[in-house]
């Protein structure tokens, strides 16, 4: 009869780690392409086309106007599963809006904190780090380019 004991040299990968990686990869990887923007409107955008990753027609995707993102706060874009923040004037950041605890979407930003409604996880608008709650890891940062005002 064959030996069916676990291989002690095999890495210990839990189902939760695999699912978390798949969820974050599905959201973040398409958004981590090179970035572009609309200099006339001050739109923040993300996207890319071609191997150079320089963005361009059909590749860059506008996330919205910089005027919609308050200083010290942010805006959640549920359709794009992105949260845009502006920790200090003119410093814009983007993170995945998928909470690292149970993959709920964060739903609000106030007083420098990104909030998840499911179990109370809280993240910093500056770097996506966990400030409180059951979230095990920070929100993944997404590269964006802001052009214009």
């Amino acid at each position: 009869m064959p030996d069916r004991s676990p291989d002690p040299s095999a890495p210990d990968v839990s189902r939760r780690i695999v699912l978390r990686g798949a969820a974050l990869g599905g959201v973040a990887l398409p958004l981590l392409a090179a970035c572009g923007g609309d200099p006339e409107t001050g739109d923040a955008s993300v996207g890319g086309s071609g191997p150079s990753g320089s963005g361009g027609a059909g590749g860059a995707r506008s996330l919205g106007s910089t005027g919609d993102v308050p200083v010290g706060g942010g805006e959640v874009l549920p359709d794009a599963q992105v949260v845009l923040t502006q920790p200090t004037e003119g410093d814009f950041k983007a993170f995945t809006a998928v909470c690292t605890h149970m993959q709920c979407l964060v739903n609000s930003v106030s007083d420098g904190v990104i909030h998840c409604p499911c179990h109370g996880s809280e993240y910093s608008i500056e770097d996506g780090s966990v400030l409180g709650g059951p979230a095990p890891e920070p929100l993944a940062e997404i590269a964006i380019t802001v052009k214009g005002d």
Side-chain angles (χ1 to χ4, degrees), residues 41-45 63-75 82-95 125-127 141-149:
T41 64
D43 284 354
S45 65
L63 293 175
S65 174
T66 56
D68 294 337
V69 183
V71 176
E75 178 184 14
V82 172
V83 58
L84 297 174
T85 67
Q86 186 177 185
T88 58
E89 189 159 351
D91 180 28
F92 294 91
K93 307 275 184 168
F95 305 96
I125 66 169
E126 294 179 14
D127 59 7
E141 188 166 359
I142 298 169
I144 60 170
T145 295
V146 179
K147 294 190 177 181
D149 298 334

mmCIF file of all heavy atoms in Angstrom, residues 41-45 63-75 82-95 125-127 141-149:
data_model
loop_
_atom_site.group_PDB
_atom_site.id
_atom_site.type_symbol
_atom_site.label_atom_id
_atom_site.label_comp_id
_atom_site.label_asym_id
_atom_site.label_seq_id
_atom_site.Cartn_x
_atom_site.Cartn_y
_atom_site.Cartn_z
ATOM 1 N N THR A 41 -8.216 67.799 -18.053
ATOM 2 C CA THR A 41 -9.231 67.689 -17.008
ATOM 3 C C THR A 41 -8.664 67.415 -15.629
ATOM 4 O O THR A 41 -9.386 67.470 -14.647
ATOM 5 C CB THR A 41 -10.215 66.554 -17.345
ATOM 6 O OG1 THR A 41 -9.496 65.319 -17.350
ATOM 7 C CG2 THR A 41 -10.905 66.772 -18.659
ATOM 8 N N GLY A 42 -7.402 67.071 -15.549
ATOM 9 C CA GLY A 42 -6.827 66.722 -14.250
ATOM 10 C C GLY A 42 -7.272 65.350 -13.788
ATOM 11 O O GLY A 42 -7.298 65.071 -12.610
ATOM 12 N N ASP A 43 -7.665 64.484 -14.728
ATOM 13 C CA ASP A 43 -8.124 63.154 -14.377
ATOM 14 C C ASP A 43 -6.958 62.270 -13.956
ATOM 15 O O ASP A 43 -5.891 62.322 -14.538
ATOM 16 C CB ASP A 43 -8.807 62.474 -15.574
ATOM 17 C CG ASP A 43 -10.202 63.005 -15.840
ATOM 18 O OD1 ASP A 43 -10.681 63.819 -15.031
ATOM 19 O OD2 ASP A 43 -10.792 62.603 -16.851
ATOM 20 N N ALA A 44 -7.199 61.447 -12.957
ATOM 21 C CA ALA A 44 -6.265 60.386 -12.609
ATOM 22 C C ALA A 44 -6.682 59.188 -13.433
ATOM 23 O O ALA A 44 -7.858 58.907 -13.572
ATOM 24 C CB ALA A 44 -6.360 60.060 -11.122
ATOM 25 N N SER A 45 -5.724 58.487 -14.000
ATOM 26 C CA SER A 45 -6.085 57.329 -14.811
ATOM 27 C C SER A 45 -5.082 56.227 -14.612
ATOM 28 O O SER A 45 -3.984 56.432 -14.125
ATOM 29 C CB SER A 45 -6.179 57.706 -16.285
ATOM 30 O OG SER A 45 -4.921 58.097 -16.775
ATOM 31 N N LEU A 63 -9.916 57.336 -13.977
ATOM 32 C CA LEU A 63 -10.550 56.993 -12.715
ATOM 33 C C LEU A 63 -11.424 58.122 -12.191
ATOM 34 O O LEU A 63 -12.274 57.890 -11.351
ATOM 35 C CB LEU A 63 -9.481 56.646 -11.668
ATOM 36 C CG LEU A 63 -8.690 55.382 -11.945
ATOM 37 C CD1 LEU A 63 -7.589 55.213 -10.919
ATOM 38 C CD2 LEU A 63 -9.605 54.162 -11.947
ATOM 39 N N GLY A 64 -11.188 59.344 -12.656
ATOM 40 C CA GLY A 64 -12.001 60.458 -12.201
ATOM 41 C C GLY A 64 -11.187 61.720 -12.075
ATOM 42 O O GLY A 64 -9.998 61.749 -12.358
ATOM 43 N N SER A 65 -11.848 62.748 -11.659
ATOM 44 C CA SER A 65 -11.223 64.052 -11.523
ATOM 45 C C SER A 65 -10.561 64.201 -10.154
ATOM 46 O O SER A 65 -11.094 63.761 -9.138
ATOM 47 C CB SER A 65 -12.288 65.138 -11.689
ATOM 48 O OG SER A 65 -11.732 66.406 -11.420
ATOM 49 N N THR A 66 -9.418 64.851 -10.143
ATOM 50 C CA THR A 66 -8.714 65.087 -8.881
ATOM 51 C C THR A 66 -9.540 65.964 -7.946
ATOM 52 O O THR A 66 -9.415 65.866 -6.732
ATOM 53 C CB THR A 66 -7.346 65.743 -9.133
ATOM 54 O OG1 THR A 66 -7.541 66.946 -9.877
ATOM 55 C CG2 THR A 66 -6.425 64.806 -9.891
ATOM 56 N N GLY A 67 -10.413 66.793 -8.504
ATOM 57 C CA GLY A 67 -11.265 67.656 -7.691
ATOM 58 C C GLY A 67 -12.283 66.896 -6.853
ATOM 59 O O GLY A 67 -12.838 67.437 -5.902
ATOM 60 N N ASP A 68 -12.524 65.622 -7.199
ATOM 61 C CA ASP A 68 -13.481 64.807 -6.445
ATOM 62 C C ASP A 68 -12.860 64.135 -5.222
ATOM 63 O O ASP A 68 -13.569 63.501 -4.449
ATOM 64 C CB ASP A 68 -14.073 63.724 -7.348
ATOM 65 C CG ASP A 68 -14.924 64.291 -8.466
ATOM 66 O OD1 ASP A 68 -15.424 65.429 -8.328
ATOM 67 O OD2 ASP A 68 -15.085 63.595 -9.489
ATOM 68 N N VAL A 69 -11.540 64.251 -5.076
ATOM 69 C CA VAL A 69 -10.845 63.572 -3.980
ATOM 70 C C VAL A 69 -10.408 64.617 -2.953
ATOM 71 O O VAL A 69 -9.489 65.390 -3.196
ATOM 72 C CB VAL A 69 -9.616 62.790 -4.502
ATOM 73 C CG1 VAL A 69 -8.945 62.027 -3.371
ATOM 74 C CG2 VAL A 69 -10.011 61.848 -5.636
ATOM 75 N N PRO A 70 -11.075 64.673 -1.802
ATOM 76 C CA PRO A 70 -10.744 65.704 -0.813
ATOM 77 C C PRO A 70 -9.376 65.495 -0.156
ATOM 78 O O PRO A 70 -8.934 64.361 0.027
ATOM 79 C CB PRO A 70 -11.855 65.566 0.231
ATOM 80 C CG PRO A 70 -12.333 64.160 0.110
ATOM 81 C CD PRO A 70 -12.138 63.771 -1.329
ATOM 82 N N VAL A 71 -8.721 66.586 0.187
ATOM 83 C CA VAL A 71 -7.459 66.525 0.925
ATOM 84 C C VAL A 71 -7.736 65.896 2.291
ATOM 85 O O VAL A 71 -8.687 66.266 2.971
ATOM 86 C CB VAL A 71 -6.840 67.929 1.097
ATOM 87 C CG1 VAL A 71 -5.583 67.861 1.954
ATOM 88 C CG2 VAL A 71 -6.542 68.553 -0.256
ATOM 89 N N GLY A 72 -6.917 64.915 2.672
ATOM 90 C CA GLY A 72 -7.105 64.224 3.945
ATOM 91 C C GLY A 72 -8.182 63.162 3.886
ATOM 92 O O GLY A 72 -8.532 62.569 4.900
ATOM 93 N N GLY A 73 -8.702 62.902 2.698
ATOM 94 C CA GLY A 73 -9.771 61.921 2.538
ATOM 95 C C GLY A 73 -9.592 61.123 1.276
ATOM 96 O O GLY A 73 -8.490 60.929 0.797
ATOM 97 N N GLY A 74 -10.705 60.699 0.719
ATOM 98 C CA GLY A 74 -10.639 59.902 -0.488
ATOM 99 C C GLY A 74 -12.005 59.644 -1.071
ATOM 100 O O GLY A 74 -13.023 60.117 -0.569
ATOM 101 N N GLU A 75 -12.001 58.870 -2.131
ATOM 102 C CA GLU A 75 -13.225 58.500 -2.831
ATOM 103 C C GLU A 75 -13.125 57.031 -3.218
ATOM 104 O O GLU A 75 -12.121 56.591 -3.776
ATOM 105 C CB GLU A 75 -13.390 59.366 -4.080
ATOM 106 C CG GLU A 75 -14.605 59.015 -4.891
ATOM 107 C CD GLU A 75 -14.719 59.815 -6.184
ATOM 108 O OE1 GLU A 75 -13.734 60.455 -6.609
ATOM 109 O OE2 GLU A 75 -15.796 59.778 -6.771
ATOM 110 N N VAL A 82 -11.506 50.392 -6.728
ATOM 111 C CA VAL A 82 -10.346 51.219 -6.408
ATOM 112 C C VAL A 82 -10.777 52.279 -5.409
ATOM 113 O O VAL A 82 -11.904 52.770 -5.458
ATOM 114 C CB VAL A 82 -9.797 51.901 -7.687
ATOM 115 C CG1 VAL A 82 -8.729 52.914 -7.372
ATOM 116 C CG2 VAL A 82 -9.268 50.864 -8.663
ATOM 117 N N VAL A 83 -9.873 52.639 -4.512
ATOM 118 C CA VAL A 83 -10.094 53.789 -3.641
ATOM 119 C C VAL A 83 -8.970 54.782 -3.920
ATOM 120 O O VAL A 83 -7.798 54.422 -3.928
ATOM 121 C CB VAL A 83 -10.184 53.406 -2.143
ATOM 122 C CG1 VAL A 83 -8.955 52.702 -1.646
ATOM 123 C CG2 VAL A 83 -10.486 54.614 -1.277
ATOM 124 N N LEU A 84 -9.353 56.024 -4.223
ATOM 125 C CA LEU A 84 -8.387 57.104 -4.453
ATOM 126 C C LEU A 84 -8.303 57.930 -3.188
ATOM 127 O O LEU A 84 -9.325 58.237 -2.570
ATOM 128 C CB LEU A 84 -8.847 57.998 -5.608
ATOM 129 C CG LEU A 84 -8.954 57.352 -6.977
ATOM 130 C CD1 LEU A 84 -9.571 58.334 -7.973
ATOM 131 C CD2 LEU A 84 -7.598 56.898 -7.463
ATOM 132 N N THR A 85 -7.085 58.320 -2.804
ATOM 133 C CA THR A 85 -6.917 59.153 -1.622
ATOM 134 C C THR A 85 -5.997 60.327 -1.936
ATOM 135 O O THR A 85 -5.242 60.302 -2.905
ATOM 136 C CB THR A 85 -6.332 58.352 -0.432
ATOM 137 O OG1 THR A 85 -4.995 57.961 -0.720
ATOM 138 C CG2 THR A 85 -7.182 57.124 -0.119
ATOM 139 N N GLN A 86 -6.088 61.344 -1.085
ATOM 140 C CA GLN A 86 -5.206 62.510 -1.180
ATOM 141 C C GLN A 86 -4.750 62.855 0.245
ATOM 142 O O GLN A 86 -5.330 63.722 0.901
ATOM 143 C CB GLN A 86 -5.933 63.696 -1.835
ATOM 144 C CG GLN A 86 -5.040 64.863 -2.095
ATOM 145 C CD GLN A 86 -5.719 66.028 -2.811
ATOM 146 O OE1 GLN A 86 -5.034 66.963 -3.139
ATOM 147 N NE2 GLN A 86 -7.014 66.019 -3.042
ATOM 148 N N PRO A 87 -3.721 62.161 0.737
ATOM 149 C CA PRO A 87 -3.271 62.383 2.114
ATOM 150 C C PRO A 87 -2.877 63.838 2.386
ATOM 151 O O PRO A 87 -3.200 64.382 3.441
ATOM 152 C CB PRO A 87 -2.067 61.464 2.263
ATOM 153 C CG PRO A 87 -2.218 60.440 1.186
ATOM 154 C CD PRO A 87 -2.948 61.118 0.071
ATOM 155 N N THR A 88 -2.159 64.449 1.462
ATOM 156 C CA THR A 88 -1.801 65.858 1.559
ATOM 157 C C THR A 88 -2.092 66.486 0.202
ATOM 158 O O THR A 88 -2.167 65.782 -0.813
ATOM 159 C CB THR A 88 -0.311 66.051 1.920
ATOM 160 O OG1 THR A 88 0.501 65.405 0.936
ATOM 161 C CG2 THR A 88 0.005 65.478 3.294
ATOM 162 N N GLU A 89 -2.234 67.780 0.181
ATOM 163 C CA GLU A 89 -2.616 68.455 -1.051
ATOM 164 C C GLU A 89 -1.671 68.117 -2.207
ATOM 165 O O GLU A 89 -0.459 68.259 -2.105
ATOM 166 C CB GLU A 89 -2.664 69.965 -0.850
ATOM 167 C CG GLU A 89 -3.265 70.658 -2.046
ATOM 168 C CD GLU A 89 -3.786 72.039 -1.730
ATOM 169 O OE1 GLU A 89 -3.854 72.423 -0.553
ATOM 170 O OE2 GLU A 89 -4.131 72.733 -2.683
ATOM 171 N N GLY A 90 -2.266 67.609 -3.287
ATOM 172 C CA GLY A 90 -1.504 67.283 -4.491
ATOM 173 C C GLY A 90 -0.855 65.912 -4.491
ATOM 174 O O GLY A 90 -0.257 65.506 -5.480
ATOM 175 N N ASP A 91 -0.954 65.163 -3.394
ATOM 176 C CA ASP A 91 -0.372 63.822 -3.293
ATOM 177 C C ASP A 91 -1.501 62.795 -3.379
ATOM 178 O O ASP A 91 -2.226 62.583 -2.415
ATOM 179 C CB ASP A 91 0.378 63.678 -1.970
ATOM 180 C CG ASP A 91 1.007 62.306 -1.798
ATOM 181 O OD1 ASP A 91 1.345 61.658 -2.806
ATOM 182 O OD2 ASP A 91 1.172 61.878 -0.635
ATOM 183 N N PHE A 92 -1.662 62.180 -4.548
ATOM 184 C CA PHE A 92 -2.746 61.238 -4.778
ATOM 185 C C PHE A 92 -2.233 59.811 -4.736
ATOM 186 O O PHE A 92 -1.153 59.517 -5.237
ATOM 187 C CB PHE A 92 -3.421 61.517 -6.127
ATOM 188 C CG PHE A 92 -4.126 62.835 -6.152
ATOM 189 C CD1 PHE A 92 -3.467 63.982 -6.566
ATOM 190 C CD2 PHE A 92 -5.440 62.946 -5.745
ATOM 191 C CE1 PHE A 92 -4.104 65.207 -6.578
ATOM 192 C CE2 PHE A 92 -6.092 64.161 -5.752
ATOM 193 C CZ PHE A 92 -5.420 65.307 -6.174
ATOM 194 N N LYS A 93 -3.030 58.933 -4.134
ATOM 195 C CA LYS A 93 -2.699 57.513 -4.018
ATOM 196 C C LYS A 93 -3.910 56.708 -4.480
ATOM 197 O O LYS A 93 -5.043 57.182 -4.422
ATOM 198 C CB LYS A 93 -2.397 57.125 -2.562
ATOM 199 C CG LYS A 93 -1.368 57.967 -1.861
ATOM 200 C CD LYS A 93 0.004 57.476 -2.134
ATOM 201 C CE LYS A 93 1.013 58.303 -1.332
ATOM 202 N NZ LYS A 93 2.303 57.726 -1.335
ATOM 203 N N ALA A 94 -3.674 55.488 -4.904
ATOM 204 C CA ALA A 94 -4.756 54.572 -5.257
ATOM 205 C C ALA A 94 -4.452 53.204 -4.661
ATOM 206 O O ALA A 94 -3.301 52.760 -4.649
ATOM 207 C CB ALA A 94 -4.908 54.471 -6.763
ATOM 208 N N PHE A 95 -5.493 52.571 -4.151
ATOM 209 C CA PHE A 95 -5.381 51.243 -3.555
ATOM 210 C C PHE A 95 -6.536 50.389 -4.043
ATOM 211 O O PHE A 95 -7.589 50.911 -4.410
ATOM 212 C CB PHE A 95 -5.442 51.323 -2.019
ATOM 213 C CG PHE A 95 -4.431 52.244 -1.425
ATOM 214 C CD1 PHE A 95 -4.767 53.547 -1.111
ATOM 215 C CD2 PHE A 95 -3.129 51.826 -1.190
ATOM 216 C CE1 PHE A 95 -3.838 54.422 -0.573
ATOM 217 C CE2 PHE A 95 -2.189 52.693 -0.656
ATOM 218 C CZ PHE A 95 -2.541 53.992 -0.341
ATOM 219 N N ILE A 125 -4.916 56.152 4.622
ATOM 220 C CA ILE A 125 -5.009 56.734 3.286
ATOM 221 C C ILE A 125 -3.624 57.019 2.711
ATOM 222 O O ILE A 125 -3.487 57.265 1.523
ATOM 223 C CB ILE A 125 -5.869 58.015 3.248
ATOM 224 C CG1 ILE A 125 -5.214 59.145 4.037
ATOM 225 C CG2 ILE A 125 -7.273 57.743 3.712
ATOM 226 C CD1 ILE A 125 -5.866 60.508 3.839
ATOM 227 N N GLU A 126 -2.599 56.984 3.545
ATOM 228 C CA GLU A 126 -1.241 57.302 3.098
ATOM 229 C C GLU A 126 -0.548 56.136 2.413
ATOM 230 O O GLU A 126 0.135 56.311 1.413
ATOM 231 C CB GLU A 126 -0.394 57.775 4.277
ATOM 232 C CG GLU A 126 -0.878 59.086 4.848
ATOM 233 C CD GLU A 126 -0.059 59.550 6.028
ATOM 234 O OE1 GLU A 126 1.046 59.007 6.254
ATOM 235 O OE2 GLU A 126 -0.524 60.456 6.730
ATOM 236 N N ASP A 127 -0.725 54.931 2.973
ATOM 237 C CA ASP A 127 0.000 53.779 2.418
ATOM 238 C C ASP A 127 -0.819 52.492 2.397
ATOM 239 O O ASP A 127 -0.299 51.446 2.048
ATOM 240 C CB ASP A 127 1.305 53.558 3.175
ATOM 241 C CG ASP A 127 1.089 53.308 4.662
ATOM 242 O OD1 ASP A 127 -0.070 53.172 5.117
ATOM 243 O OD2 ASP A 127 2.104 53.255 5.389
ATOM 244 N N GLU A 141 -1.345 48.804 -3.127
ATOM 245 C CA GLU A 141 -1.279 50.096 -3.817
ATOM 246 C C GLU A 141 -1.325 49.864 -5.315
ATOM 247 O O GLU A 141 -0.784 48.885 -5.827
ATOM 248 C CB GLU A 141 -0.016 50.861 -3.434
ATOM 249 C CG GLU A 141 -0.024 52.274 -3.977
ATOM 250 C CD GLU A 141 1.025 53.174 -3.353
ATOM 251 O OE1 GLU A 141 1.775 52.727 -2.464
ATOM 252 O OE2 GLU A 141 1.072 54.348 -3.756
ATOM 253 N N ILE A 142 -1.979 50.769 -6.011
ATOM 254 C CA ILE A 142 -2.109 50.710 -7.464
ATOM 255 C C ILE A 142 -1.411 51.927 -8.041
ATOM 256 O O ILE A 142 -1.649 53.051 -7.599
ATOM 257 C CB ILE A 142 -3.593 50.702 -7.879
ATOM 258 C CG1 ILE A 142 -4.275 49.451 -7.302
ATOM 259 C CG2 ILE A 142 -3.734 50.756 -9.377
ATOM 260 C CD1 ILE A 142 -5.780 49.481 -7.413
ATOM 261 N N ALA A 143 -0.550 51.711 -9.015
ATOM 262 C CA ALA A 143 0.183 52.812 -9.633
ATOM 263 C C ALA A 143 -0.757 53.635 -10.498
ATOM 264 O O ALA A 143 -1.496 53.098 -11.324
ATOM 265 C CB ALA A 143 1.318 52.252 -10.487
ATOM 266 N N ILE A 144 -0.751 54.943 -10.275
ATOM 267 C CA ILE A 144 -1.550 55.862 -11.084
ATOM 268 C C ILE A 144 -0.678 57.030 -11.494
ATOM 269 O O ILE A 144 0.362 57.295 -10.900
ATOM 270 C CB ILE A 144 -2.797 56.398 -10.344
ATOM 271 C CG1 ILE A 144 -2.397 57.154 -9.074
ATOM 272 C CG2 ILE A 144 -3.789 55.302 -10.079
ATOM 273 C CD1 ILE A 144 -3.546 57.918 -8.427
ATOM 274 N N THR A 145 -1.125 57.734 -12.508
ATOM 275 C CA THR A 145 -0.489 58.980 -12.914
ATOM 276 C C THR A 145 -1.556 60.057 -12.895
ATOM 277 O O THR A 145 -2.652 59.849 -13.405
ATOM 278 C CB THR A 145 0.092 58.871 -14.333
ATOM 279 O OG1 THR A 145 1.137 57.903 -14.314
ATOM 280 C CG2 THR A 145 0.653 60.200 -14.812
ATOM 281 N N VAL A 146 -1.240 61.168 -12.265
ATOM 282 C CA VAL A 146 -2.163 62.300 -12.225
ATOM 283 C C VAL A 146 -1.592 63.369 -13.125
ATOM 284 O O VAL A 146 -0.442 63.769 -12.970
ATOM 285 C CB VAL A 146 -2.327 62.825 -10.783
ATOM 286 C CG1 VAL A 146 -3.261 64.009 -10.761
ATOM 287 C CG2 VAL A 146 -2.812 61.718 -9.860
ATOM 288 N N LYS A 147 -2.415 63.839 -14.065
ATOM 289 C CA LYS A 147 -1.976 64.892 -14.977
ATOM 290 C C LYS A 147 -2.951 66.033 -14.910
ATOM 291 O O LYS A 147 -4.145 65.832 -14.768
ATOM 292 C CB LYS A 147 -1.871 64.344 -16.388
ATOM 293 C CG LYS A 147 -0.770 63.306 -16.530
ATOM 294 C CD LYS A 147 -0.522 62.963 -17.958
ATOM 295 C CE LYS A 147 0.635 61.978 -18.030
ATOM 296 N NZ LYS A 147 0.924 61.632 -19.410
ATOM 297 N N GLY A 148 -2.435 67.236 -15.042
ATOM 298 C CA GLY A 148 -3.270 68.429 -14.976
ATOM 299 C C GLY A 148 -3.364 68.935 -13.552
ATOM 300 O O GLY A 148 -2.550 68.629 -12.715
ATOM 301 N N ASP A 149 -4.415 69.728 -13.318
ATOM 302 C CA ASP A 149 -4.607 70.291 -11.990
ATOM 303 C C ASP A 149 -5.078 69.249 -11.016
ATOM 304 O O ASP A 149 -5.207 69.439 -9.876
ATOM 305 C CB ASP A 149 -5.586 71.454 -12.048
ATOM 306 C CG ASP A 149 -5.032 72.575 -12.921
ATOM 307 O OD1 ASP A 149 -3.816 72.690 -13.058
ATOM 308 O OD2 ASP A 149 -5.865 73.308 -13.477
#
